[in-house]
Amino acid sequence: MAGKINIAIDGPAGAGKSTVAKDIARRLGLIYIDTGAMYRALTLMALKCELDLDNEDILTKLANSIKIEFINDPVTGGGRILLNGEDVSDAVRNPEISRHVSRVAKVPGVRNRMAKIQQSMAINGGVVMEGRDIGIKVLPQADYKFFLTASARERARRRYIELINQGYQVDMEQLVQEIKERDFCDSTRAVDPLTPAEDAEIIDCTTMSLDQVVMYILSRVELRR
């Protein structure tokens, strides 16, 4: 493992955080943690149980009752997420989950529970953690902090290609609207709103390939080490 550094990568939906963070973790020999998948897993469980997504008490109780784990995928080198022992890595990427996850993620009790789990995962260092509030709340003492952003249309385009390749039938304009609505929800929520940490480096990757973003971040990490 390349030292015991922690790297925090934040940003809005569709900015490429997962792909970038996963590649950086692989290149540096660190552990990749996708915190967004944790909220997606909780949303998946809530929908399966047909719970009221506007009932904060019920969602908080659910968050405190489930077990979320990450395991390494020996084929891809990335992480797989387990919900109560079941691999839900593919299920949490369903568009239906994307439409509802912000409602679940804005609940204070849910966020506090998830933050504690995430902090325990990074307590010994050596992780690349990506999400919405990593640099500000979860890992405020992270060695490196980056905030990825891109235009809503570019993020929708990337998401469109991803979903089409997975066999989903989606509408591009609907994706643009959903991303804008999610941006608004994430950035205006009362608890842990989406915003860059004061000491985070902001990277606008609208015109950058994800590989270019990876190489840029790696250069910044090596420069400061």
Side-chain angles (χ1 to χ4, degrees), residues 90-212:
D90 297 325
V92 298
R93 299 302 168 187
N94 188 297
E96 181 70 8
I97 304 299
S98 298
R99 282 191 282 271
H100 296 291
V101 64
S102 286
R103 295 169 63 190
V104 174
K106 72 179 182 179
V107 177
V110 168
R111 299 202 67 81
N112 289 334
R113 171 59 178 161
M114 292 300 181
K116 289 179 179 178
I117 297 175
Q118 293 153 13
Q119 288 166 345
S120 68
M121 292 177 174
I123 194 168
N124 294 317
V127 306
V128 179
M129 187 176 290
E130 56 99 346
R132 300 287 196 280
D133 60 350
I134 310 306
I136 290 179
K137 178 177 181 177
V138 181
L139 299 179
Q141 303 304 319
D143 301 277
Y144 304 92
K145 299 179 184 180
F146 300 95
F147 189 94
L148 305 188
T149 187
S151 69
R153 181 158 293 277
E154 174 59 21
R155 287 184 281 134
R157 185 189 69 81
R158 295 174 185 174
R159 181 64 172 155
Y160 177 85
I161 294 173
E162 177 185 355
L163 291 172
I164 289 296
N165 289 337
Q166 293 175 356
Y168 292 108
Q169 295 298 314
V170 291
D171 178 82
M172 177 65 176
E173 294 306 317
Q174 181 181 348
L175 283 178
V176 172
Q177 185 59 35
E178 288 178 358
I179 280 181
K180 288 181 177 180
E181 291 175 355
R182 188 168 177 188
D183 285 351
F184 179 79
C185 183
D186 289 345
S187 61
T188 60
R189 64 183 175 225
V191 179
D192 308 324
L194 173 65
T195 185
E198 290 185 1
D199 54 346
E201 181 169 357
I202 300 175
I203 305 174
D204 187 336
C205 54
T206 301
T207 60
M208 299 172 69
S209 69
L210 295 180
D211 188 57
Q212 287 175 323

Side-chain angles (χ1 to χ4, degrees), residues 24-79:
I24 289 173
R26 178 183 64 81
R27 290 171 183 262
L28 294 179
L30 305 176
I31 299 171
Y32 163 62
I33 298 176
D34 176 2
T35 64
M38 298 171 67
Y39 290 100
R40 286 174 171 272
L42 180 62
T43 303
L44 175 66
M45 178 62 79
L47 290 174
K48 281 187 174 181
C49 295
E50 299 183 346
L51 301 181
D52 180 0
L53 299 187
D54 293 317
N55 189 315
E56 296 189 354
D57 289 338
I58 289 179
L59 292 176
T60 298
K61 289 179 181 178
L62 181 64
N64 284 307
S65 69
I66 64 174
K67 182 179 181 180
I68 295 179
E69 304 168 275
F70 283 96
I71 60 173
N72 184 61
D73 187 330
V75 177
T76 67

